[in-house]
PDB file of all heavy atoms in Angstrom:
ATOM      1  N   ILE A 255       3.383 -10.685   4.754  1.00 88.00           N
ATOM      2  CA  ILE A 255       4.227  -9.613   5.298  1.00 88.00           C
ATOM      3  C   ILE A 255       4.832  -8.761   4.187  1.00 88.00           C
ATOM      4  O   ILE A 255       4.858  -7.532   4.277  1.00 88.00           O
ATOM      5  CB  ILE A 255       5.322 -10.202   6.203  1.00 88.00           C
ATOM      6  CG1 ILE A 255       4.707 -10.720   7.505  1.00 88.00           C
ATOM      7  CG2 ILE A 255       6.393  -9.158   6.523  1.00 88.00           C
ATOM      8  CD1 ILE A 255       5.663 -11.503   8.387  1.00 88.00           C
ATOM      9  N   THR A 393      18.902  40.614  11.484  1.00 93.00           N
ATOM     10  CA  THR A 393      18.596  41.356  10.266  1.00 93.00           C
ATOM     11  C   THR A 393      19.724  41.209   9.244  1.00 93.00           C
ATOM     12  O   THR A 393      20.785  40.631   9.533  1.00 93.00           O
ATOM     13  CB  THR A 393      18.389  42.847  10.570  1.00 93.00           C
ATOM     14  OG1 THR A 393      19.662  43.428  10.917  1.00 93.00           O
ATOM     15  CG2 THR A 393      17.405  43.050  11.702  1.00 93.00           C
ATOM     16  N   ASP A 439      12.626  33.498  -1.785  1.00 95.00           N
ATOM     17  CA  ASP A 439      12.018  32.168  -1.850  1.00 95.00           C
ATOM     18  C   ASP A 439      10.790  32.251  -2.759  1.00 95.00           C
ATOM     19  O   ASP A 439       9.837  32.984  -2.449  1.00 95.00           O
ATOM     20  CB  ASP A 439      11.618  31.716  -0.436  1.00 95.00           C
ATOM     21  CG  ASP A 439      11.136  30.275  -0.392  1.00 95.00           C
ATOM     22  OD1 ASP A 439      11.975  29.382  -0.210  1.00 95.00           O
ATOM     23  OD2 ASP A 439       9.919  30.053  -0.534  1.00 95.00           O
ATOM     24  N   LYS A 478      14.302   2.029   2.603  1.00 77.00           N
ATOM     25  CA  LYS A 478      13.312   1.261   3.363  1.00 77.00           C
ATOM     26  C   LYS A 478      12.678   0.175   2.503  1.00 77.00           C
ATOM     27  O   LYS A 478      12.477  -0.954   2.958  1.00 77.00           O
ATOM     28  CB  LYS A 478      12.231   2.202   3.909  1.00 77.00           C
ATOM     29  CG  LYS A 478      12.689   3.096   5.066  1.00 77.00           C
ATOM     30  CD  LYS A 478      11.547   3.969   5.546  1.00 77.00           C
ATOM     31  CE  LYS A 478      11.973   4.822   6.733  1.00 77.00           C
ATOM     32  NZ  LYS A 478      12.162   4.010   7.940  1.00 77.00           N
ATOM     33  N   LEU A 490      10.931 -15.777   2.255  1.00 77.00           N
ATOM     34  CA  LEU A 490      10.617 -16.797   1.252  1.00 77.00           C
ATOM     35  C   LEU A 490      11.630 -17.941   1.303  1.00 77.00           C
ATOM     36  O   LEU A 490      11.269 -19.108   1.122  1.00 77.00           O
ATOM     37  CB  LEU A 490      10.582 -16.171  -0.139  1.00 77.00           C
ATOM     38  CG  LEU A 490       9.395 -15.238  -0.420  1.00 77.00           C
ATOM     39  CD1 LEU A 490       9.505 -14.622  -1.808  1.00 77.00           C
ATOM     40  CD2 LEU A 490       8.068 -15.988  -0.298  1.00 77.00           C
ATOM     41  N   LEU A 551      -5.918  -6.586   3.391  1.00 96.00           N
ATOM     42  CA  LEU A 551      -5.499  -5.669   4.449  1.00 96.00           C
ATOM     43  C   LEU A 551      -4.917  -4.381   3.866  1.00 96.00           C
ATOM     44  O   LEU A 551      -5.213  -3.280   4.346  1.00 96.00           O
ATOM     45  CB  LEU A 551      -4.470  -6.342   5.360  1.00 96.00           C
ATOM     46  CG  LEU A 551      -4.083  -5.525   6.607  1.00 96.00           C
ATOM     47  CD1 LEU A 551      -5.274  -5.377   7.548  1.00 96.00           C
ATOM     48  CD2 LEU A 551      -2.915  -6.177   7.338  1.00 96.00           C
ATOM     49  N   ILE A 590       3.850 -10.382  -8.475  1.00 90.00           N
ATOM     50  CA  ILE A 590       5.232 -10.880  -8.564  1.00 90.00           C
ATOM     51  C   ILE A 590       5.591 -11.659  -7.300  1.00 90.00           C
ATOM     52  O   ILE A 590       6.204 -12.741  -7.371  1.00 90.00           O
ATOM     53  CB  ILE A 590       6.215  -9.711  -8.787  1.00 90.00           C
ATOM     54  CG1 ILE A 590       6.061  -9.159 -10.203  1.00 90.00           C
ATOM     55  CG2 ILE A 590       7.661 -10.168  -8.547  1.00 90.00           C
ATOM     56  CD1 ILE A 590       6.864  -7.906 -10.470  1.00 90.00           C
TER      57      ILE A 590
END
Side-chain angles (χ1 to χ4, degrees):
I255 289 172
T393 70
D439 187 89
K478 287 181 178 289
L490 289 177
L551 187 66
I590 289 173

